Amino acid sequence: MRYVTNRIVDLIEKMPDALIWRFARRYIAGVDYEAALQAMREIQADGMLATMDVLGEDTNSETSADAACRDYLDLIRAMNQANLPGNVSLKPTQLGLKLKADVAFERIRNVAIHANRSGYFFRLDMEDATTTDRTIEWYRRLRRELPQTGIVIQAYLKRSPEDVRNLMDEGSANIRICKGIYRESSDIAFSSRDLIRKRFLELLRMILDAKSYPAIATHDPFLIRGALEEIRRRKLAPEDYEFQMLHGVGFGWRKKLLADGHRLRIYVPFGAAWRAYSLRRFRENPTLALYVLKNLVVPL
């Protein structure tokens, strides 16, 4: 299936942007702040929370990294002026992690300071394994100064239990757990669905055992049910955790989780870099890729 999915996405990549957008618009809030803020309003009107993300990663110049930093500061101002609560999430490579690291950290710190001062929780996203050490290091530095800061841990990385254990030893933490989407060597990452699921729930239990706050980021029914069982067994209050889902995905589970009184946060991506994000979503999810292929034959 993975081979078929990749070939479908190879075909999609050759399409003009206007055609790709027909399929991508379900998963992207839009290309500008106005569209993103409107998506936030709609999400919150439905009883959910939102995390805002300006799309972009692997910035290849200091100029582009500076521009990405300004985009985030503009986003925070726009959210503040619109009086919209929410979280802010960014990828470190977007602000230059692979360029001048010390300069990149100061850009990220600037965004985190503005977010926290405006009452917004700030999260450092996790990317491919070449960035893991530095991302965790920067998280440690940021949270000493800015408590309303979180990180992401990917269940498929074999190192993740040790990372979580070390973070828990340093005090309470807000950790978003996800499966992981980047292509990594079998030396450092699991590829088996069952092993990744098992590790995901193991990490969740570790975080809960340490009385820390997990953001349970998944659309996998097996993992949602497993998380709900942990929540019931521990008799947790809704403010002790949250579920997270992507914009445009998981509508059936959204309704059930909300109806049962659980916190649910939607990840709201937007911006000019929507094309690369969409192609990655299609490539990682065979169902989405097949949906696109079907609608090339049967128009939307």
Side-chain angles (χ1 to χ4, degrees):
M1 177 61 79
R2 178 63 62 184
Y3 176 83
V4 173
T5 301
N6 287 338
R7 299 294 75 76
I8 293 172
V9 180
D10 289 343
L11 173 63
I12 296 170
E13 284 181 336
K14 296 179 173 61
M15 298 177 186
D17 283 358
L19 186 54
I20 296 176
W21 179 249
R22 292 173 60 200
F23 307 104
R25 62 191 177 192
R26 174 179 174 182
Y27 312 102
I28 310 294
V31 298
D32 55 27
Y33 299 118
E34 183 178 347
L37 295 180
Q38 181 56 32
M40 283 188 77
R41 293 186 186 95
E42 292 171 0
I43 286 168
Q44 291 169 5
D46 288 337
M48 296 176 287
L49 308 167
T51 287
M52 305 305 291
D53 180 278
V54 183
L55 289 169
E57 58 187 299
D58 282 331
T59 297
N60 57 15
S61 74
E62 295 294 322
T63 300
S64 297
D66 284 337
C69 182
R70 289 194 297 272
D71 285 343
Y72 268 96
L73 297 178
D74 289 344
L75 167 64
I76 292 166
R77 279 192 289 270
M79 290 168 62
N80 210 354
Q81 290 170 3
N83 196 29
L84 287 169
N87 291 1
V88 175
S89 173
L90 65 73
K91 290 181 170 58
T93 64
Q94 186 178 4
L95 271 66
L97 178 147
K98 294 183 179 179
L99 303 173
K100 296 177 181 177
D102 55 340
V103 177
F105 177 77
E106 288 305 318
R107 290 189 189 102
I108 292 171
R109 178 174 175 271
N110 190 19
V111 174
I113 287 172
H114 279 79
N116 276 201
R117 285 178 179 172
S118 297
Y120 301 128
F121 184 87
F122 173 80
R123 191 180 302 278
L124 270 180
D125 209 342
M126 192 61 77
E127 301 174 78
D128 69 80
T130 65
T131 69
T132 304
D133 284 334
R134 180 150 281 164
T135 300
I136 292 175
E137 173 198 343
W138 287 359
Y139 165 67
R140 287 187 169 113
R141 292 171 63 184
L142 287 171
R143 79 168 180 173
R144 285 196 291 266
E145 177 184 4
L146 304 163
Q148 291 301 305
T149 300
I151 194 169
V152 178
I153 294 293
Q154 301 175 108
Y156 76 154
L157 291 183
K158 296 179 180 180
R159 62 176 286 171
S160 289
E162 182 179 1
D163 288 333
V164 169
R165 194 173 298 111
N166 290 337
L167 290 173
M168 297 299 96
D169 287 344
E170 297 167 13
S172 181
N174 185 310
I175 298 179
R176 180 181 192 259
I177 319 169
C178 65
K179 286 182 176 179
I181 62 171
Y182 295 89
R183 296 181 183 179
E184 303 289 2
S185 163
S186 60
D187 293 337
I188 63 171
F190 297 115
S191 58
S192 161
R193 181 184 68 171
D194 290 341
L195 286 176
I196 295 170
R197 283 173 163 176
K198 180 180 178 181
R199 178 56 57 80
F200 187 107
L201 294 175
E202 175 188 341
L203 296 173
L204 174 59
R205 286 189 288 269
M206 290 175 66
I207 295 168
L208 291 174
D209 286 345
K211 309 300 183 186
S212 283
Y213 186 93
I216 306 161
T218 184
H219 310 99
D220 184 336
F222 178 89
L223 291 178
I224 295 173
R225 293 188 188 101
L228 289 172
E229 178 58 32
E230 286 295 326
I231 290 164
R232 284 191 291 267
R233 185 173 66 83
R234 297 167 185 265
K235 300 180 180 179
L236 298 178
E239 59 269 21
D240 294 332
Y241 62 91
E242 67 184 50
F243 287 91
Q244 293 190 353
M245 293 185 176
L246 296 173
H247 185 64
V249 181
F251 291 101
W253 274 105
R254 287 189 192 187
K255 293 179 180 178
K256 177 171 176 51
L257 291 170
L258 290 172
D260 290 344
H262 302 286
R263 281 182 176 179
L264 175 59
R265 187 177 303 275
I266 304 301
Y267 171 86
V268 184
F270 75 99
W274 62 268
R275 190 179 193 275
Y277 172 83
S278 302
L279 292 172
R280 191 169 76 237
R281 289 273 87 81
F282 296 149
R283 197 176 293 280
E284 75 191 37
N285 190 325
T287 302
L288 297 183
L290 291 170
Y291 166 80
V292 173
L293 180 63
K294 181 185 73 173
N295 282 286
L296 289 176
V297 181
V298 182
L300 293 171

